Amino acid sequence: MPTLLEVRDLTIEFRTKAGIVHAVEGASFNVERGEAMGLAGESGCGKTTTALALMRLLPYNGRIVRGSISFEGRDLVPVPEDSMRAIRWKEMSIVFQGAMNSLNPVQRVGRQIAEPIMLHEEAEPEASFKRAGDLLELVGISRNRLNDYPHEFSGGMRQRVMIAMALACNPKLVIADEPVTALDVMIQAQILDLLERLRRELHLAMILISHDLSVLADTCEQVTIMYAGKTMESGKTMDLFTDPKHPYTQGLVGAFPDIRGPRNMPEAIPGDVPSLISPPSGCVFHPRCKFAFDRCTKAEPALTELSVGRRAACFLYPQVTEVPPRPIAITEV
Amino acid sequence: MRKGLLRELAGGKPLWVRAVDGVDLDIRRGEVFCLVGESGCGKTSTGKAILKLVEATDGDILLEMPEGEARAYEDVRQRPDDPEARKTLDGLRRKYSVTWKESLPWTVEQALKSAGAFLAAVFLAIVAPSLLLAAVVEPFGDPWSTIGLCVSIGLILGLIGSLPPTRLSRRTRVILTLLALGSIIVAPISALSLHRALVGDVSRFDVGAALATPWTQELAAMLVGFAFGAIAAGGSSSLLLDWRSRSEGMAGIHMRSIRRRLQLIFQDPYESLNPKQSVYEIVSEPLAVNRISTNPGETSALVREALTDVGLRPPEEFLFRFPHELSGGQRQRVSIAAALVLQPDFIVADEPVSMLDVSIRTEILQVMMELRTRRGITYLFITHDLSLAWVLADRIAVMYLGKIVEMGTTEQVIGHPMHPYTKALISVVPSPDPRHKVERIILKGERPDPSDIPPGCRFHPRCPFAFERCGWTAEEVADQLRSLKAGGMLATASGVDLSDAGNVRLSMGGGGPDALVRELNALVSERRETLLPLKGIAAVHATNGFVELSLHASSEPPLLEIEPGNSVACHLVSPPATVSESLTA
Ligand SMILES: Nc1ncnc2c1ncn2[C@@H]1O[C@H](COP(=O)(O)OP(=O)(O)OP(=O)(O)O)[C@@H](O)[C@H]1O
Ligand code: SF4
Ligand SMILES: [Mg+2]
């Protein structure tokens, strides 16, 4: 069986008045069946954009410039929109960032879950409502609450509803974009626990997006670290967190206080995230990197395999190669 | 929010905060005190109540209260029914509380008292000295004007002394008296010398000569003025202060100076800044509002200094930017600068970094901690992030439903948590090091309803360790039995409901009372460890046609000091004293 999801050199741009935003450049990662892959990085590094591209749901001004997204061996990039309907939600679904706050306030929750089922599966209303009830129970909410309105649900329960909706058509892969951000720590734990249980019981693959490394450390087998649209490092969670190779990963890991570690003040990563309209030359991280040397400003390090399952893009490692200069993209204005 | 109290002990001594339901948080000067808990547990209201952004319904925020009087306050608060204690309490509140308003109705007695005080003051200040002088001193020159001068100076000083933001303290009185004495000595001398100079030989006028002349009468006039001027000053100032504190409370008198010393940093850097104001306007506004600086040069210097302090360097580069031209971290720095510009010594920081990205977050925290070292600022840091509290706090208080459930040093609370809620919270905090795995205690349910606080221990419905006396109610037990019945158990009962007296009552099924009692007892002993509400059942008895349950008595666990500096409110954790008591009992 082919790998469930294989993303190669995925590059996404947004066209804006101020110029072209190079939101994602050369993203490459794999997700195996039943596995959880974590996608981490600071705000604006392109996590959501990557997720939307996987679902082929980029906003009108965004486009995939190059790269491939192969899902069960089939490249989704050239798939026309109407064939995408057979894949979106049914094979692969997403819990949007912050969506728990955008449930329709004047429609009963049951209806909001059942409607997409009717739409996507062309199911009868009665069967759809029954399925909505089953889904609610699957995520730990009594089916008696199908007739409630969203405001009668707490934040954690609304997030459960969003998860239930993502599961409606039995997908193989669920993307959860910041599913626990802005939730209290106990509710975070409940939601993460639920996701882990669902993953086990339904043999789901998952892409968990979070800016909080701690959340991923606990729940994912693989982690990919992004910075300014580029993939800096990826590998097994245990290896990546205990022995980060890339200076950015090192900075990121050191920036989180550890309640089970020593009481050290975390270290800051000095400087700001660069503009994605005119990103720095060479390694995008070089203006903030304390190890940067001459080569870093001139050439761009390619994401290179350092050991089995472990890849990083940093010239500190001699085996890391340079990204060949790309032909200048001709974009119509 | 039931009670709130902030107490600051002067000069390097602890700053105490009592907040929410009669529990003390004592914050020492220069320390970082973290208040942690789930959202809606009352953390933010506590912070706001301290800054008087919301009114606490009851309780005090007491400032600069000396240790001894703080103890007296504690002591008399325990005895609200004792009229003597009430009086002491009111006295202490009048002196230190910024929230307390004396609510004295204008009774006849009250009116008479005030009128009497006023008449006495007038008599003491004007009539008495005049009479005395007339009797003792032979009228000369114009002593009346001298005395009148002394007395008016006293009265004016008294008036000035009672104006805001002066606080009523021993210091105020001493300063006033000294001032009065000074002017009283100077005034008659100059008056008399002037008199002499005008009446006598103009060319001979000089102060030395005036002082050298024998002047018994003048001396007498001076002494009288001396004594009564001071009395007039003290009397009129306390009368005025008394009247003002009655009508506006100390709050009205102090708040301006307090606002300046206590500052708040908000959670959301995107909402707390006015998008139409430039950085300069945002940071200088508090200076204008508090009338600290109206001089543009000085204001600009203060603003620059505050911006430099928070790391917005060089300040010129940021002064005229608007919030949308700043990054999230820079915006949060601007709100810190706006708090710092008033040079506060106490900052309430309500989730100051929760909206920020991790790298910026660390920078902001470092700025805050550096300011603590440099300026000795004390922080009350409100956060739901326990790993942040772990690295920042000197001491921590954990709140649950408006009540402190555990408090102690960071090592005590996070290193060795004792309250089940603290234990659970800490167990679910994720760690960035995947090697640090612990067994998670995931509590059921979310955000409890603060308007419906469970009896007994308010945490008992979610507590995995709750036992007999934690506060199980008849409804909770009945619900548990009903769900057992729905699950096919309790076949010998036909229904579970509550009796008129509020007890759990099971109506008999086919088997008769003995069978039901037996089944219940068996069920309870078998399932009580997993179905905790069953632990609330103390006894099962058959009464005319029903089986009734009696429940264990319960009480709310008080916050007790278990170890030096570490207090816990949980029945499971008994302080050594209680244990030995119960052993001897
Ligand atoms: N519709 C759009 N038009 C123009 N630029 C966009 C658009 N959507 C996103 N961007 C830009 O693309 C970059 C990546 O955005 P993205 O939302 O993927 O970040 P993210 O990693 O998900 O961040 P966060 O953690 O804040 O959610 C950002 O610089 C953002 O400003
Ligand atoms: S390539 Fe150079 S600048 Fe980039 S992370 Fe490595 S050392 Fe730093
Ligand atoms: Mg995002």
Side-chain angles (χ1 to χ4, degrees):
Chain A
M1 235 190 314
T3 305
L4 183 68
L5 181 75
E6 215 176 306
V7 175
R8 286 291 167 268
D9 196 28
L10 183 66
T11 300
I12 303 155
E13 287 177 355
F14 288 109
R15 214 165 324 143
T16 67
K17 279 210 187 84
I20 304 284
V21 178
H22 304 274
V24 178
E25 229 177 280
S28 303
F29 51 84
N30 291 357
V31 182
E32 305 289 341
R33 275 160 222 280
E35 181 190 78
M37 203 274 288
L39 201 55
E42 285 170 272
S43 181
C45 70
K47 304 181 295 288
T48 301
T49 307
T50 308
L52 293 179
L54 297 184
M55 295 287 292
R56 292 277 314 277
L57 285 172
L58 282 174
Y60 72 98
N61 63 338
R63 67 179 187 109
I64 298 176
V65 181
R66 58 167 189 279
S68 63
I69 301 168
S70 70
F71 187 81
E72 297 192 302
R74 175 180 181 199
D75 188 1
L76 301 185
V77 175
V79 167
E81 176 57 31
D82 47 345
S83 320
M84 210 38 223
R85 288 208 192 106
I87 297 166
R88 198 184 292 139
W89 304 117
K90 295 180 185 159
E91 300 286 330
M92 185 190 333
S93 67
I94 183 167
V95 177
F96 292 110
Q97 178 170 15
M100 59 186 241
N101 299 320
S102 53
L103 280 165
N104 184 348
V106 294
Q107 208 175 64
R108 294 179 199 278
V109 168
R111 178 122 182 256
Q112 296 192 53
I113 305 176
E115 242 167 28
I117 303 177
M118 291 184 230
L119 195 76
H120 300 307
E121 308 231 301
E122 285 154 22
E124 292 304 310
E126 204 172 312
S128 302
F129 273 95
K130 186 181 169 296
R131 173 99 182 109
D134 295 344
L135 284 167
L136 271 193
E137 295 203 321
L138 184 66
V139 297
I141 302 176
S142 154
R143 68 187 321 135
N144 300 339
R145 307 208 51 177
L146 275 174
N147 284 330
D148 285 3
Y149 288 97
H151 71 89
E152 294 168 280
F153 281 41
S154 65
M157 282 164 78
R158 287 203 300 268
Q159 189 62 285
R160 284 169 194 262
V161 170
M162 298 318 298
I163 295 171
M165 286 162 88
L167 295 176
C169 306
N170 293 314
K172 300 191 178 94
L173 172 69
V174 173
I175 304 170
D177 193 358
E178 305 276 5
V180 295
T181 306
L183 292 177
D184 262 324
V185 60
M186 190 55 72
I187 301 158
Q188 263 190 25
Q190 292 169 354
I191 297 285
L192 291 174
D193 201 49
L194 169 72
L195 289 175
E196 225 166 288
R197 202 194 81 215
L198 292 171
R199 192 151 75 82
R200 233 183 16 247
E201 286 174 6
L202 308 176
H203 199 63
L204 279 176
M206 223 168 247
I207 297 179
L208 208 63
I209 297 179
S210 178
H211 67 279
D212 186 348
L213 284 190
S214 315
V215 164
L216 304 181
D218 257 14
T219 39
C220 297
E221 282 101 20
Q222 300 277 336
V223 174
T224 300
I225 307 286
M226 290 182 74
Y227 176 75
K230 312 237 162 113
T231 308
M232 299 281 107
E233 185 167 1
S234 67
K236 287 214 174 61
T237 309
M238 188 59 88
D239 304 344
L240 192 131
F241 282 74
T242 54
D243 177 27
K245 296 287 187 205
H246 196 285
Y248 179 64
T249 318
Q250 290 167 2
L252 210 53
V253 170
F256 284 91
D258 184 358
I259 198 169
R260 290 181 253 291
R263 288 187 59 194
N264 298 334
M265 188 74 179
E267 299 271 339
I269 308 171
D272 281 320
V273 180
S275 146
L276 296 180
I277 293 179
S278 49
S281 64
C283 167
V284 270
F285 188 56
H286 89 256
R288 298 173 79 186
C289 177
K290 58 182 173 196
F291 304 110
F293 53 105
D294 214 27
R295 192 179 173 196
C296 310
T297 58
K298 297 195 180 108
E300 190 187 333
L303 192 64
T304 312
E305 185 141 29
L306 299 184
S307 57
V308 181
R310 187 63 178 285
R311 295 183 302 160
C314 167
F315 286 135
L316 288 177
Y317 305 93
Q319 61 270 54
V320 171
T321 53
E322 289 178 12
V323 173
R326 292 198 181 97
I328 297 160
I330 300 156
T331 336
E332 64 281 32
V333 185
Chain B
M1 168 129 274
R2 304 266 165 76
K3 294 189 176 103
L5 144 76
L6 171 86
R7 202 156 55 190
E8 185 181 343
L9 302 181
K13 285 194 218 111
L15 169 91
W16 289 28
V17 178
R18 154 169 289 192
V20 190
D21 259 0
V23 186
D24 274 333
L25 310 177
D26 59 301
I27 302 180
R28 313 218 160 86
R29 200 176 282 272
E31 92 173 340
V32 178
F33 193 98
C34 275
L35 200 54
V36 302
E38 287 168 285
S39 69
C41 72
K43 304 180 301 248
T44 298
S45 347
T46 307
K48 285 189 174 161
I50 287 167
L51 298 185
K52 284 211 64 192
L53 296 176
V54 296
E55 288 290 326
T57 39
D58 185 16
D60 294 309
I61 294 173
L62 305 167
L63 269 189
E64 294 199 330
M65 191 179 209
E67 191 84 50
E69 295 192 283
R71 287 201 200 304
Y73 176 88
E74 279 310 296
D75 179 48
V76 293
R77 254 173 56 93
Q78 306 301 316
R79 300 178 278 131
D81 302 327
D82 178 355
E84 203 49 45
R86 246 263 54 108
K87 232 165 110 191
T88 322
L89 188 64
D90 283 356
L92 288 170
R93 284 179 165 164
R94 183 178 300 125
K95 239 166 142 175
Y96 301 105
S97 178
V98 293
T99 44
W100 186 70
K101 284 185 189 174
E102 197 162 3
S103 56
L104 289 179
W106 274 104
T107 57
V108 178
E109 188 196 2
Q110 194 59 43
L112 283 178
K113 239 183 181 167
S114 301
F118 180 73
L119 287 178
V122 171
F123 178 79
L124 280 174
I126 299 163
V127 186
S130 324
L131 289 178
L132 202 70
L133 226 103
V136 179
V137 187
E138 207 183 304
F140 79 102
D142 191 12
W144 298 112
S145 62
T146 311
I147 293 162
L149 187 68
C150 299
V151 171
S152 353
I153 289 171
L155 284 170
I156 290 167
L157 285 171
L159 194 75
I160 294 170
S162 68
L163 290 178
T166 317
R167 60 189 52 199
L168 182 60
S169 71
R170 199 156 291 130
R171 199 182 36 189
T172 319
R173 294 237 167 83
V174 169
I175 291 172
L176 280 173
T177 313
L178 285 176
L179 267 171
L181 293 186
S183 353
I184 284 156
I185 293 171
V186 176
I189 292 175
S190 39
L192 287 175
S193 331
L194 192 68
H195 175 73
R196 233 167 258 271
L198 293 176
V199 171
D201 186 350
V202 178
S203 66
R204 276 203 313 119
F205 171 69
D206 68 285
V207 177
L211 281 174
T213 50
W215 42 309
T216 24
Q217 291 158 329
E218 292 90 328
L219 194 67
M222 239 175 70
L223 280 175
V224 173
F226 197 66
F228 289 99
I231 291 168
S236 63
S237 73
S238 50
L239 201 72
L240 257 162
L241 269 178
D242 207 41
W243 174 71
R244 289 200 42 191
S245 70
R246 193 167 8 247
S247 57
E248 354 177 350
M250 286 314 279
I253 301 177
H254 287 337
M255 217 45 219
R256 273 237 331 247
S257 65
I258 288 162
R259 267 282 151 68
R260 161 173 186 189
R261 295 173 53 201
L262 311 183
Q263 285 295 321
L264 181 70
I265 297 173
F266 292 97
Q267 174 169 9
D268 191 343
Y270 299 88
E271 276 175 14
S272 60
L273 300 182
N274 179 347
K276 296 205 179 78
Q277 280 186 320
S278 71
V279 169
Y280 181 84
E281 285 168 320
I282 292 167
V283 180
S284 65
E285 190 174 75
L287 291 172
V289 170
N290 288 279
R291 276 175 260 159
I292 308 266
S293 158
T294 41
N295 166 346
E298 192 191 347
T299 305
S300 153
L302 288 171
V303 169
R304 274 159 217 265
E305 190 193 330
L307 290 178
T308 312
D309 273 347
V310 298
L312 293 174
R313 288 167 231 171
E316 292 72 32
E317 199 174 296
F318 297 94
L319 280 177
F320 300 105
R321 290 208 206 170
F322 287 87
H324 69 264
E325 296 167 316
L326 299 170
S327 75
Q330 288 168 339
R331 281 179 230 200
Q332 193 58 309
R333 283 161 190 251
V334 170
S335 39
I336 297 178
L340 278 181
V341 74
L342 295 172
Q343 313 241 341
D345 29 44
F346 183 67
I347 289 182
V348 175
D350 189 356
E351 304 272 15
V353 294
S354 68
M355 306 292 284
L356 301 177
D357 238 322
V358 62
S359 58
I360 307 164
R361 171 194 300 209
T362 317
E363 249 176 275
I364 299 282
L365 294 176
Q366 279 168 349
V367 165
M368 291 176 66
M369 292 309 114
E370 190 201 312
L371 288 169
R372 151 165 96 142
T373 331
R374 212 141 44 79
R375 289 209 190 154
I377 297 177
T378 309
Y379 288 101
L380 174 61
F381 203 99
I382 299 174
T383 179
H384 69 275
D385 185 344
L386 276 106
S387 43
L388 212 57
W390 171 240
V391 298
L392 282 187
D394 295 307
R395 283 170 338 108
I396 294 180
V398 182
M399 263 179 116
Y400 186 78
L401 263 180
K403 187 135 188 149
I404 308 283
V405 295
E406 179 157 7
M407 178 166 69
T409 63
T410 307
E411 294 291 344
Q412 284 168 335
V413 175
I414 294 189
H416 306 278
M418 289 204 266
H419 196 283
Y421 178 63
T422 322
K423 283 186 184 168
L425 266 191
I426 292 171
S427 80
V428 297
V429 175
S431 153
D433 191 332
R435 287 169 297 189
H436 296 159
K437 277 238 192 271
V438 292
E439 175 110 18
R440 290 187 295 174
I441 308 170
I442 298 183
L443 299 176
K444 299 224 163 46
E446 303 179 18
R447 193 167 174 171
D449 180 1
S451 63
D452 179 24
I453 292 178
C457 169
R458 53 190 68 198
F459 181 55
H460 85 261
R462 297 174 77 194
C463 179
F465 307 106
F467 64 110
E468 283 79 356
R469 54 193 174 106
C470 293
W472 299 109
T473 60
E475 285 95 69
E476 282 171 308
V477 174
D479 281 346
Q480 185 63 69
L481 292 176
R482 277 186 206 118
S483 81
L484 278 171
K485 177 130 187 59
M489 315 287 277
L490 280 176
T492 50
S494 64
V496 182
D497 50 352
L498 299 184
S499 72
D500 295 339
N503 292 328
V504 184
R505 196 165 66 172
L506 289 89
S507 31
M508 234 82 77
D514 290 344
L516 180 49
V517 170
R518 236 177 297 123
E519 186 179 5
L520 259 176
N521 280 330
L523 197 64
V524 169
S525 60
E526 204 178 293
R527 308 292 290 273
R528 62 198 298 278
E529 291 309 324
T530 45
L531 305 176
L532 299 179
L534 295 183
K535 286 194 178 180
I537 301 174
V540 178
H541 25 233
T543 44
N544 46 22
F546 294 105
V547 168
E548 273 203 8
L549 307 182
S550 56
L551 302 184
H552 284 284
S554 68
S555 62
E556 173 151 34
L559 187 68
L560 292 173
E561 192 158 16
I562 306 296
E563 278 169 19
N566 192 10
S567 311
V568 182
C570 170
H571 285 314
L572 275 177
V573 190
S574 304
T578 332
V579 171
S580 60
E581 260 168 43
S582 61
L583 282 181
T584 50

